[in-house]
Amino acid sequence: MAVVRVCICGDEGTGKSSLVTSLVKDVFISSKIQSVLPPITIPPSFGTPENVTTTIVDTSALPQERDNLRRTIRKSNVILLVYSDHYSYERVALFWMPYFRSLGVNVPVVLCANKSDLVPNENAAEVAEEEMLPVMAEFKEIDSCIRTSAKEHYNVNEVFFLCQKAVTHPIAPLFDSKEAVLKPAAITALQRVFYLCDKDRDGFLSDDEVREFQKKCFEKDISDEDLRNIKHSIRRWSVTAVTDKGISQQGFLLLNKMFAEKGRHETIWIILRTFHYTDSLSLKDSFLHPKFDIPPYASAELSPAGYRFFVDLFLLHDKDNDGGLSDAELGALFAPTPGLPRSWDESAFPSCTVRNEAGYITLQGWLAQWSMTTFTEPRTTLEYLGYLGFEEKGGTATALKITKPRKSRRRLNRVERNVVLCYVLGASHSGKSSLLDAFLNRPFTQTYHPTIKPRMAVNSVEFQGGKQCYLILEELGELEPAILENQAKLDACDIICFTYDSSDPNSFTHIVELQNKYPRLSDLPTIYAALKADQDKTTQRSELQPDDYTRNLNMASPLHVSVTWTSISELFVHIAEAAIHPSTAFPKQDDQPIVDRTNLYIALGATLCATAAKPG
C-alpha cells in the first residue's frame, strides 16, 4: 500500500485540528486555528510502517458538513475518532460508531482520548478500564485506543503511528480481543510457517532452526540471551511447549499470541508477509501462480531442482524408511496445503501410479505422479511448490522447465521430452484397463469394470542404455468422442496406441471405425497392439485383417502381447520410444524397412508359458 489515508472524526471542540497542528509543527498552537484544516500529506520517514505516505484529512461534525464527512470517510483507510470529555465519549457509542456502520465502510478505527492534560495521571488506568475497554469490546472495528494531549505534545506522534499501523499491520485478522485468542485463519497460517521452518520435521524448532527463522524474517541474528528469554516467556504459559528438542508448534503459537496481546502485531505481520501472506491471510496469487507461459507444441517438466525438492520431501516424510508414504505420512507431508490436488482425487490417487505391496506410494510413483501433474497442469505443480516451501532464487518457476517445441512429427527428429502422453484407444473389453494395471505392476484380474471417466496411469520407462522417461497412459472412457474432436487435446498427445482383443472377432472393427470417424488421428504417431495374445487368436470380422490393414498403411504389424506375460514391459518401452522418435510410428516411405516385432512378442510369451507349464 503506497498511501495511508487517515480521516479524523469527532465532535466539535475535541481538539482534532490541534492534534494535526501539533504533529506538523511539533509544538502546540495556542492561538485560534481554523476549525477544519486542509488535507496534509506526510512523506515516509524512518520508522514509518511499510514505508508508506500518510494523508491526514480533517473533518467537521456539523450537520451541514455531513455529505462531505460521508465522502471523506468512504475514501479513508483508517478513522481516527477523537473524544475529550464525558459527552463526546458517550457520543462514540451512541452516534459515531453506528454512523460508521451505516455507511458500510470496513476500515479500522483508532479511538483517541484527547486533552489528557486535563485528567490526572493517576486516573489513567481508570480511564482505560472504564472508558476504552468497554467500547472496544462492543465495537470490533476499534483497532486500538490511546490517550493524547495536543497541548503537552503527549502521544501525538504515537496516535498517527497507530493509524498507520492499523492499516499496514491490522490486528483484526489476527486476534480476537474479546476471547483473547488468535483467530483460526491466523493459526492456520502460522502453523504452515512453523512447518516450513521445522526443516527436519521433528515437530520442534531447534535453536538453529529458530536462528534461521529469525534471519529470514527479520534479517538479523538472535542472541543466545534473547533466545533464552523467549523460551522462558513461553514456559510461563506452558511448561510442555519448550523441551530439549526446542519450541513446539504450541509454543510457537503461544509466542505469537503474546505478540498480539502486547500490541506487537506488526511482528506477526512481518513473519506472515515473509512467507507471502496477504492482509486476508491467503497466500499471494503471484506467489502461488507465477507467470509461466508454455509456447505452442512445447510442454512443462520438472527441472533437476524440482525433482531434487520432491525427492527430499519424500525421504523427509518416510519416517519408517519402508520406501512408501503411509496415509499418516502423506497427511503430514500435505499439512501446509489445502490437501491433495483436486486432479489427484479425481484420478483416484495413489492408484494411478506405483505403489508398494501395502498400497503406499513409492518414491518412483511419487516422482512419476508429479511428472504427470507438471505435464498436464503445471499451474498446480507451481501452486503446491509454493505451499510446500520450495525456496530457490528465481522462485518456484525454477523447479520447472519448458521443453523444446515439437516440430513436424513426421521428420526424423527426436522429441526433446522426458514425459510423454499416450492415448490408449480400443473397443470395450479389449483389455485397455488391464494394460494400465500391468503398467503399474498390478496383478491381473478377470473382473471387468467398464471405464466411465478418463483414467491415467504413469510410470517410468527405461530405454536400452539406462536412460529413462515418464510415460503417461490415458484411457478416455466415455469422454473419448469429446477428446478426439478436441484439437488441443490431440496436440497434447504424443502417441496413439490402438488396442484390440485378438481373441474377439469384433474387436478390431472399432479401430477402423475410429480412424474413419476422426481422420485427424492420422496426424499422430500410432502403434497397434493385439492384446490377450495368451488366448486363441481369431479371425477379425473386418474388411481387412489387422496385419493386412497395417500393411496397406505401410506400417508395422500389431504387436501381440498379453498382460499375463512379463514381456508386456517391452510394449511400454516401444510406446515410449515411438513417442520420443515419432517418425518411426508413421507410415513408412517405400524405401524404409518395416520392423515387425510380432514374432518377438509371441516368442517371449510362448517361452514364459512353456516355462510355467514345466513340472516343478
Side-chain angles (χ1 to χ4, degrees):
M1 180 175 294
V3 177
V4 170
R5 192 175 178 89
V6 183
C7 175
I8 305 183
C9 297
D11 289 348
E12 297 298 302
T14 54
K16 303 189 298 295
S17 301
S18 294
L19 276 175
V20 178
T21 55
S22 184
L23 173 73
V24 175
K25 302 289 187 180
D26 208 27
V27 65
F28 179 65
I29 306 297
S30 57
S31 57
K32 185 174 178 61
I33 57 176
Q34 61 192 97
S35 58
V36 178
L37 297 174
I40 295 170
T41 298
I42 303 172
S45 61
F46 180 75
T48 302
E50 300 293 304
N51 201 34
V52 294
T53 298
T54 305
T55 298
I56 303 170
V57 184
D58 195 9
T59 64
S60 171
L62 296 175
Q64 59 267 32
E65 295 292 331
R66 202 56 50 86
D67 287 343
N68 186 47
L69 174 65
R70 187 184 303 112
R71 285 193 298 270
T72 304
I73 289 173
R74 283 181 170 153
K75 290 179 182 178
S76 67
N77 305 116
V78 58
I79 297 170
L80 176 58
L81 179 56
V82 183
Y83 73 91
S84 62
D85 55 24
H86 182 73
Y87 174 76
S88 57
Y89 166 73
E90 291 290 331
R91 292 253 302 163
V92 168
L94 293 175
F95 171 74
W96 286 108
M97 295 306 300
Y99 178 66
F100 298 152
R101 286 183 174 179
S102 72
L103 297 179
V105 294
N106 183 27
V107 296
V109 176
V110 174
L111 186 61
C112 172
N114 196 25
K115 301 186 181 181
S116 65
D117 53 288
L118 301 179
V119 180
N121 283 336
E122 56 266 22
N123 295 342
E126 185 180 325
V127 169
E129 185 173 346
E130 294 184 2
E131 291 184 0
M132 294 179 170
L133 294 182
V135 77
M136 280 190 77
E138 184 178 354
F139 299 99
K140 292 301 180 184
E141 306 95 311
I142 299 178
D143 182 88
S144 54
C145 299
I146 189 171
R147 296 174 67 238
T148 62
S149 170
K151 184 175 182 179
E152 295 182 350
H153 201 71
Y154 172 67
N155 278 347
V156 173
N157 289 23
E158 286 77 4
V159 70
F160 289 101
F161 178 81
L162 284 178
C163 291
Q164 293 169 330
K165 198 167 74 165
V167 178
T168 59
H169 302 99
I171 187 65
L174 303 177
F175 192 66
D176 186 328
S177 302
K178 185 176 181 180
E179 301 294 333
V181 293
L182 291 169
K183 290 189 174 178
I187 291 174
T188 299
L190 289 168
Q191 284 174 335
R192 176 177 171 273
V193 171
F194 179 90
Y195 169 94
L196 297 179
C197 295
D198 180 18
K199 299 297 184 184
D200 57 6
R201 303 293 193 269
D202 67 345
F204 294 88
L205 293 184
S206 66
D207 289 357
D208 287 342
E209 288 169 340
V210 171
R211 290 188 180 95
E212 189 175 338
F213 163 78
Q214 171 79 13
K215 192 79 174 176
K216 178 182 178 69
C217 293
F218 305 100
E219 298 181 348
K220 63 180 181 180
D221 296 323
I222 185 171
S223 68
D224 292 341
E225 183 180 357
D226 286 343
L227 184 53
R228 282 194 298 270
N229 290 338
I230 287 172
K231 290 181 178 180
H232 177 70
S233 298
I234 296 172
R235 281 196 185 98
R236 288 170 56 192
W237 288 89
S238 172
V239 293
T240 61
V242 180
T243 71
D244 292 340
K245 290 184 177 181
I247 300 171
S248 68
Q249 185 183 93
Q250 179 199 11
F252 183 71
L253 293 175
L254 279 172
L255 179 63
N256 283 278
K257 178 175 177 283
M258 285 187 275
F259 289 149
E261 288 175 330
K262 293 178 180 179
R264 292 179 54 192
H265 38 282
E266 70 272 16
T267 303
I268 305 175
W269 279 117
I270 290 171
I271 294 169
L272 294 174
R273 286 170 181 159
T274 300
F275 286 86
H276 309 286
Y277 281 93
T278 66
D279 288 353
S280 61
L281 295 180
S282 61
L283 286 168
K284 292 179 181 176
D285 190 68
S286 59
F287 169 68
L288 292 179
H289 305 119
K291 185 176 174 59
F292 191 81
D293 297 326
I294 303 174
Y297 308 111
S299 64
E301 296 179 0
L302 288 173
S303 69
Y307 277 116
R308 186 167 59 248
F309 173 77
F310 283 118
V311 168
D312 292 343
L313 203 61
F314 182 97
L315 298 176
L316 194 59
H317 287 84
D318 182 18
K319 296 296 186 181
D320 52 11
N321 295 315
D322 65 346
L325 292 181
S326 66
D327 292 344
E329 290 169 338
L330 206 57
L333 190 155
F334 280 99
T337 75
L340 292 177
R342 187 172 64 179
S343 60
W344 290 26
D345 282 330
E346 292 173 352
S347 61
F349 172 86
S351 65
C352 55
T353 190
V354 185
R355 296 180 290 177
N356 61 18
E357 292 179 355
Y360 302 148
I361 187 171
T362 63
L363 178 58
Q364 178 185 350
W366 175 250
L367 296 179
Q369 181 73 20
W370 280 112
S371 297
M372 177 172 70
T373 303
T374 306
F375 180 88
T376 57
E377 43 182 15
R379 182 181 171 90
T380 297
T381 299
L382 287 169
E383 182 179 337
Y384 275 76
L385 284 165
Y387 283 128
L388 293 167
F390 178 86
E391 291 181 302
E392 282 209 12
K393 190 176 180 180
T396 54
T398 61
L400 273 60
K401 66 176 184 179
I402 297 174
T403 63
K404 189 177 179 181
R406 194 191 313 142
K407 297 181 180 178
S408 172
R409 303 187 199 237
R410 297 176 185 268
R411 292 183 184 175
L412 294 172
N413 294 101
R414 183 184 188 277
V415 174
E416 299 297 327
R417 293 187 176 187
N418 294 314
V419 183
V420 291
L421 171 63
C422 171
Y423 287 161
V424 180
L425 306 180
S428 299
H429 295 273
S430 63
K432 301 185 296 297
S433 297
S434 294
L435 187 67
L436 267 64
D437 287 337
F439 184 46
L440 300 175
N441 304 315
R442 307 277 159 75
F444 172 69
T445 174
Q446 294 281 0
T447 307
Y448 174 70
H449 297 286
T451 302
I452 306 300
K453 59 182 183 179
R455 178 194 171 195
M456 283 182 165
V458 61
N459 201 349
S460 57
V461 173
E462 185 171 337
F463 301 129
Q464 190 173 3
K467 185 174 176 60
Q468 289 188 334
C469 86
Y470 288 100
L471 173 62
I472 304 167
L473 299 181
E474 183 170 7
E475 188 183 358
L476 306 184
E478 293 182 353
L479 289 183
E480 182 179 276
I483 292 173
L484 299 185
E485 288 172 354
N486 187 323
Q487 188 60 49
K489 292 287 187 181
L490 294 180
D491 289 341
C493 177
D494 292 284
I495 190 166
I496 296 285
C497 179
F498 284 116
T499 64
Y500 69 97
D501 178 357
S502 60
S503 66
D504 179 358
N506 299 310
S507 189
F508 188 76
T509 305
H510 183 76
I511 294 176
V512 179
E513 292 172 351
L514 279 178
Q515 292 192 313
N516 290 335
K517 186 176 181 180
Y518 305 105
R520 285 184 294 188
L521 291 177
S522 62
D523 296 332
L524 288 119
T526 304
I527 64 171
Y528 296 81
L531 303 181
K532 305 184 184 181
D534 57 321
Q535 301 181 23
D536 292 338
K537 181 180 178 181
T538 188
T539 301
Q540 294 293 314
R541 292 177 184 145
S542 177
E543 184 177 342
L544 292 173
Q545 292 304 298
D547 286 9
D548 297 329
Y549 182 84
T550 53
R551 191 178 301 113
N552 278 4
L553 293 175
N554 214 15
M555 296 186 70
S557 298
L559 306 170
H560 288 255
V561 293
S562 169
V563 296
T564 62
W565 297 347
T566 56
S567 60
I568 189 67
S569 60
E570 293 297 323
L571 171 63
F572 306 131
V573 173
H574 180 57
I575 292 173
E577 284 180 338
I580 297 294
H581 302 278
S583 63
T584 63
F586 280 105
K588 303 295 182 292
Q589 303 297 325
D590 292 337
D591 58 347
Q592 285 182 287
I594 298 175
V595 180
D596 191 340
R597 289 186 172 86
T598 305
N599 291 334
L600 169 65
Y601 284 88
I602 291 177
L604 285 168
T607 302
L608 178 66
C609 292
T611 304
K614 287 182 180 179

